[in-house]
Amino acid sequence: MDNMKVLKLLVVVSSLCLALAGCAESSGKNADILAPELVDRVSYLALECPSHAVVGRVDEIKIVEDMMYVADYKSNKIFAYGLDGSFVGVLMRQGRGPGEYIEIQTFDVDDKSLYVLDNAVNKLIVYDRNTFQYVRESKLNLD
């Protein structure tokens, strides 16, 4: 199994473990989930964090091909890393102009583009996924 598949599997299994722990019925005692029963290997990836691009909290992670995207919705930033943990860039374009957003609600990534849903002004903004260059945006009618 190549590194990309292992990393995707680790993210999925970790998310599943957190979901199961959060959904466990409380009996007054801590619910125990034994990792060896669910996972055969755990590995850690140290992320390079330059001083201008520090992740405050991890709200969502997407992995596409050779890149990992980490969203910090509180700071309205999306960070990009190589699968080796090397820092690639950060999307931080708050504002009201073209290609800018007020509040990131969620994001998605495909082989060419990074899509940002701006909850405050109901628009979908499209960026190049490798360079974060603005491509286009669409106003959404959510009435």
Side-chain angles (χ1 to χ4, degrees):
M1 192 179 286
D2 67 359
N3 288 341
M4 174 96 160
K5 288 181 181 177
V6 170
L7 190 54
K8 282 183 180 180
L9 181 62
L10 180 58
V11 169
V12 169
V13 169
S14 297
S15 298
L16 179 62
C17 289
L18 289 173
L20 289 173
C23 295
E25 187 174 317
S26 177
S27 62
K29 299 179 182 178
N30 290 334
D32 291 333
I33 295 178
L34 301 176
E37 294 175 4
L38 302 173
V39 180
D40 64 351
R41 186 179 82 172
V42 175
S43 59
Y44 297 91
L45 177 64
L47 298 179
E48 180 184 358
C49 291
S51 61
H52 71 281
V54 176
V55 178
R57 90 183 180 199
V58 175
D59 292 303
E60 194 168 352
I61 298 172
K62 307 265 183 179
I63 299 171
V64 176
E65 295 177 6
D66 60 343
M67 299 282 287
M68 176 172 47
Y69 299 87
V70 178
D72 179 348
Y73 294 140
K74 185 173 183 180
S75 70
N76 281 305
K77 296 177 184 174
I78 299 173
F79 302 86
Y81 297 93
L83 295 181
D84 62 353
S86 61
F87 177 76
V88 174
V90 60
L91 177 67
M92 49 182 182
R93 296 213 182 146
Q94 282 190 278
R96 295 190 176 272
E100 297 177 334
Y101 51 81
I102 304 296
E103 177 185 37
I104 300 174
Q105 173 69 31
T106 190
F107 80 104
D108 205 355
V109 185
D110 64 20
D111 61 333
K112 294 181 182 168
S113 301
L114 181 137
Y115 305 88
V116 172
L117 179 61
D118 185 338
N119 194 46
V121 293
N122 296 328
K123 68 180 178 179
L124 180 68
I125 309 168
V126 181
Y127 302 94
D128 180 282
R129 82 168 183 95
N130 294 308
T131 64
F132 291 146
Q133 290 295 314
Y134 169 69
V135 175
R136 68 182 177 279
E137 62 186 56
S138 301
K139 186 78 171 149
L140 303 174
N141 185 4
L142 301 176
D143 295 331

